[in-house]
């Protein structure tokens, strides 16, 4: 079921959203100071491309710098990516088959706003939600 949802997701929303994250990652990697933002953006791009069967958890090694970085990220790219998720979720909610995809799209908004200090882990791992 996860594979079927991921394939439908890829066609209807995943490719466009992942492209947005990749563009944000490339822009962030152009400057040396924002390379950690670019790496986080590429990590979230993979998650936006194939989200079902994976979840986002807090990284246990994240410190205060990730919080400061997240504030900068929200101002630079996070708000635009979150708007992209909302705009993509609206047409998904219109169709019956797209409702689970729209819900998944809205669940991605927190990680699009605050990607630093997060890890993407498979959901089939024991204690995945706890970052273990």
């Amino acid at each position: 079921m996860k594979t079927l949802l991921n394939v439908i997701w890829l066609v209807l929303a995943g490719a466009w959203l992942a492209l947005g994250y990749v563009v944000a990652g490339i822009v962030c990697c152009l400057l040396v100071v924002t390379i950690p933002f670019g790496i986080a953006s590429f990590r979230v791009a993979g998650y936006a491309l194939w989200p079902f069967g994976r979840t986002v958890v807090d990284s246990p090694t994240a410190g205060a710098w990730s919080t400061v970085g997240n504030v900068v990220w929200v101002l630079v790219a996070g708000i635009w990516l979150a708007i992209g998720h909302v705009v993509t979720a609206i047409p998904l909610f219109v169709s019956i088959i797209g409702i689970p995809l729209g819900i998944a799209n809205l669940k991605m908004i927190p990680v699009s706003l605050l990607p630093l200090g997060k890890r993407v882990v498979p959901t089939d791992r024991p204690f995945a939600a706890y970052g273990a």
Side-chain angles (χ1 to χ4, degrees):
M1 188 58 140
K2 290 185 292 189
T3 304
L4 178 62
L5 283 172
N6 277 323
V7 170
I8 295 170
W9 171 267
L10 181 67
V11 172
L12 296 179
W16 303 111
L17 292 172
L19 181 65
Y21 284 104
V22 168
V23 169
I26 290 171
V27 169
C28 287
C29 285
L30 291 177
L31 300 172
V32 175
V33 176
T34 56
I35 288 176
F37 303 139
I39 293 169
S41 183
F42 293 138
R43 183 176 55 245
V44 177
Y47 178 60
L49 196 62
W50 204 258
F52 295 99
R54 300 192 293 171
T55 189
V56 177
V57 296
D58 291 329
S59 177
T61 60
W65 286 111
S66 65
T67 304
V68 172
N70 279 329
V71 171
V72 174
W73 173 261
V74 166
L75 299 174
V76 174
I79 193 74
W80 299 109
L81 292 169
I83 290 170
H85 280 289
V86 172
V87 168
T88 306
I90 292 170
L92 291 173
F93 278 117
V94 172
S95 67
I96 299 296
I97 196 167
I99 291 173
L101 303 176
I103 293 170
N105 212 343
L106 294 180
K107 285 182 180 180
M108 286 185 181
I109 290 175
V111 76
S112 72
L113 288 172
L114 309 171
L116 298 174
K118 304 287 186 194
R119 292 185 343 186
V120 178
V121 297
T123 55
D124 57 352
R125 275 187 25 206
F127 306 109
Y130 299 105

